[in-house]
Amino acid sequence: MAKIISIHSFRGGTGKSNLTANLSASAALRGKRVGIIDTDIQSPGIHVLFGMDEEMITLALNDYLWGNCPIENAAYDVTPPPVRDAGGAVYLIPSSIKSGEIARVLREGYDVGRLVDGLRALVTELKLDCLFIDTHPGLNEETLLSMSISDVLAVVLRPDSQDYQGTAVTVELARRLEVPRMMLVVNKVPAAFDAGAVREKVEKAYGVPVAGVLPLTDEVVRLASADVFCLRYADHPLAAQIRGIAEVIVS
Amino acid sequence: MSDDEPLDADELRTLLSLVDAEQSRADVLMNVVIPIGAALAYETEWGRLLERIVCDAMKLCTADGGVLYLRDPSSSAEARSHESSRALTPVIVRCDSLGIAVGGASRGPVAELCRPARRGSTVADAAMRSASVNLPEAHDEDTGTWLCGEAEQFFEVTDYRTRSSLAVPLRGQGGEVIGVLRLFNARRPDDYEISPFEPGMQQVVESLCLLAAAAVESYVRQQRLKDHVRELTIRIDETRKGHEVSAIVESDYFKSLRQRARALRSGGGNGDDNGNGST
């Protein structure tokens, strides 16, 4: 049965979308058929990591939510060559980047129930092994919905005071929604910080296992979302850490 | 010698010798000191870092011994700039001919062999003036007095006769002296006789000390950051969290969402009652 994984963070700027792309690619490198749905309709961005631009996106998640098309018609095969060679596949369902359509969503909203139905249809139509949901940061009905239907929830935070309180609320809500598996990923950690000490502090504060403590890395900053880091820098220690987290998620 | 007159054979030999010496110094800097500096920068263990500074410097000069003095690395730059020279504490002592290797990764009783630098000693002098102190002879044989306090103290403990002594300050990024490296009894490479520290070799050691100071400061900076994260406090206002969670979980939307999630997980289909809604 396909696994649904939500990648969430309370605040923006934690590296959630970048991490989602990397975890998805890493899972697909294990020969899995992986779907990624960008539910951050207000500020979509994960498509950039897979080299997609506005011209290439003819149908998006927005079109499905407004009843214009079946959801699988808004899915794009973005399988990178190394993943294809490994027998895996990556399908991306992007959100529209047209400002008019974003404004329409903000103005009119959408049927979240239809979103849930769409996720199920995606899994079936594309024969997915796992589906990653890249959520909008913060707590709203859509993010709570994503959590409620997920088998795994990964909450991303930085070692930053602005992230702590909101992450605590998110973790508690996830517990109340009885998410089967929950983990934390501490991202953008300054290299001089002791990873073991960070892990210990965070696990103690939240009572949730930390799947990874990922260092702030120059190569990631320089890459600037132009590609999927784990594929571009496959031998980098950070890529190995992310593959480790992906293995924990899909196992 | 005027610029117009050709050099005689002796002058030419002297000039060529100087050129050779400069070339040799440049080679040492390029091929020995810079790689040592790079290696120091990557050293991750404090004791080994300090040992390498002393041992590599000794090898460069073929010195019989060396002592590294450091100010307390945990004190601020401002504090260090106002502290007396007594704050320069020996942390590594090496003397090959006596088989002494204490401090750093080797551990052992440094304090029994060397005292902290005292006012008027060569180490204190080097620190105060932020300049090297090069003594061709640490002991005045004619008057029987020691010109180097550290050498005298070492003699009292070990009967070791220091002849040549070179104390070079380690200057931090801001220019303040964070330590002093004192080498003693340089030996001629050909016959291993004790000799003064040549000016060219002093410059090489000074270059090494620049890199060593950078490595020490970098290490201390990293440790401070790590200490900071060990003291990192994740503050969560549990009362506020409780209010925020309650406000959400007591909403009709959340209640129906939870019901729906349970139904989905139990394979009960959509669980769709009032769970549908618009964002």
Side-chain angles (χ1 to χ4, degrees), chain B residues 192-207:
Chain B
Y192 229 54
E193 283 296 307
I194 294 174
S195 63
F197 288 90
E198 299 295 331
M201 189 48 66
Q202 175 180 327
Q203 285 180 324
V204 168
V205 176
E206 286 167 350
S207 299

Side-chain angles (χ1 to χ4, degrees), chain B residues 28-43 49 53 56 60 168-173 178 203-219 221:
Chain B
V28 167
L29 278 172
M30 185 67 70
N31 298 319
V32 180
V33 174
I34 289 176
I36 290 173
L40 291 177
Y42 286 122
E43 184 53 69
L49 169 61
I53 293 171
D56 287 340
L60 276 175
V168 178
L170 274 68
R171 278 185 286 272
Q173 189 182 17
I178 63 171
Q203 285 180 324
V204 168
V205 176
E206 286 167 350
S207 299
L208 177 62
C209 285
L210 265 176
L211 299 172
V216 166
E217 281 204 317
S218 172
Y219 186 96
R221 207 161 33 237

Side-chain angles (χ1 to χ4, degrees), chain A residues 114-187:
Chain A
R114 187 165 167 76
L115 177 62
V116 175
D117 294 338
L119 299 181
R120 287 221 211 100
L122 262 180
V123 167
T124 304
E125 293 299 321
L126 298 177
K127 299 182 179 52
L128 299 177
D129 296 305
C130 38
L131 176 63
F132 284 80
I133 306 176
D134 184 22
T135 67
H136 182 65
L139 292 167
N140 57 37
E141 288 181 359
E142 176 265 314
T143 56
L144 289 173
L145 176 73
S146 296
M147 281 190 224
S148 71
I149 61 170
S150 294
D151 302 294
V152 181
L153 170 65
V155 180
V156 186
L157 72 154
R158 295 162 300 181
D160 186 295
S161 299
Q162 292 186 81
D163 290 19
Y164 298 149
Q165 185 72 26
T167 298
V169 174
T170 303
V171 163
E172 184 56 31
L173 289 173
R175 284 200 180 103
R176 303 289 186 106
L177 285 170
E178 299 163 348
V179 176
R181 277 180 74 201
M182 182 168 36
M183 60 191 69
L184 297 172
V185 177
V186 191
N187 199 20

Side-chain angles (χ1 to χ4, degrees), chain A residues 109-113 117 120 141 144-145 148-150 164-165 169 173 176-178 180 192-193 198 201, chain B residues 225-226 229-230 232 234 236-237 240-241 244 249 253-254 257-258 261-262 264-265 270 276-279:
Chain A
Y110 59 88
D111 182 355
V112 293
D117 294 338
R120 287 221 211 100
E141 288 181 359
L144 289 173
L145 176 73
S148 71
I149 61 170
S150 294
Y164 298 149
Q165 185 72 26
V169 174
L173 289 173
R176 303 289 186 106
L177 285 170
E178 299 163 348
F193 280 29
V198 170
K201 288 270 177 188
Chain B
L225 271 171
K226 287 185 180 178
V229 91
R230 272 192 274 278
L232 188 69
I234 299 174
I236 296 166
D237 183 337
R240 193 177 124 209
K241 180 186 111 179
E244 288 167 359
V249 302
Y253 176 77
F254 190 89
L257 193 63
R258 184 163 52 192
R262 281 177 179 161
L264 272 171
R265 291 196 183 110
N270 213 351
N276 265 343
S278 293
T279 59

Side-chain angles (χ1 to χ4, degrees), chain A:
Chain A
M1 190 161 169
K3 195 169 277 190
I4 297 180
I5 304 119
S6 274
I7 312 293
H8 183 68
S9 61
F10 181 72
R11 287 186 54 83
T14 60
K16 175 180 54 60
S17 296
N18 213 311
L19 185 61
T20 304
N22 277 276
L23 287 173
S24 312
S26 298
L29 273 175
R30 294 161 57 84
K32 304 289 185 189
R33 293 177 64 83
V34 174
I36 309 167
I37 183 163
D38 186 357
T39 62
D40 192 352
I41 296 177
Q42 296 172 37
S43 49
I46 197 170
H47 58 279
V48 174
L49 286 124
F50 292 99
M52 297 188 77
D53 59 28
E54 190 170 341
E55 277 90 40
M56 297 162 79
I57 302 174
T58 49
L59 289 171
L61 177 63
N62 311 53
D63 294 290
Y64 163 71
L65 291 173
W66 293 323
N68 297 344
C69 67
I71 194 166
E72 60 269 23
N73 286 16
Y76 297 83
D77 184 348
V78 295
T79 307
V83 171
R84 200 179 301 279
D85 292 343
V90 180
Y91 294 92
L92 173 66
I93 299 84
S95 282
S96 175
I97 50 179
K98 295 178 180 146
S99 51
E101 293 185 4
I102 295 174
R104 183 181 164 186
V105 164
L106 292 172
R107 196 172 55 244
E108 299 175 7
Y110 59 88
D111 182 355
V112 293
R114 187 165 167 76
L115 177 62
V116 175
D117 294 338
L119 299 181
R120 287 221 211 100
L122 262 180
V123 167
T124 304
E125 293 299 321
L126 298 177
K127 299 182 179 52
L128 299 177
D129 296 305
C130 38
L131 176 63
F132 284 80
I133 306 176
D134 184 22
T135 67
H136 182 65
L139 292 167
N140 57 37
E141 288 181 359
E142 176 265 314
T143 56
L144 289 173
L145 176 73
S146 296
M147 281 190 224
S148 71
I149 61 170
S150 294
D151 302 294
V152 181
L153 170 65
V155 180
V156 186
L157 72 154
R158 295 162 300 181
D160 186 295
S161 299
Q162 292 186 81
D163 290 19
Y164 298 149
Q165 185 72 26
T167 298
V169 174
T170 303
V171 163
E172 184 56 31
L173 289 173
R175 284 200 180 103
R176 303 289 186 106
L177 285 170
E178 299 163 348
V179 176
R181 277 180 74 201
M182 182 168 36
M183 60 191 69
L184 297 172
V185 177
V186 191
N187 199 20
K188 300 188 179 181
V189 179
F193 280 29
D194 182 82
V198 170
R199 179 187 296 269
E200 196 183 312
K201 288 270 177 188
V202 171
E203 283 184 346
K204 189 177 174 187
Y206 295 102
V208 174
V210 170
V213 176
L214 305 180
L216 183 62
T217 304
D218 283 348
E219 290 90 333
V220 173
V221 175
R222 278 201 299 271
L223 190 56
S225 300
D227 199 353
V228 179
F229 180 85
C230 285
L231 300 178
R232 179 75 76 93
Y233 295 94
D235 295 330
H236 197 283
L238 176 61
Q241 277 188 273
I242 292 173
R243 285 194 293 270
I245 298 173
E247 193 169 326
V248 166
I249 286 175
V250 302
S251 64

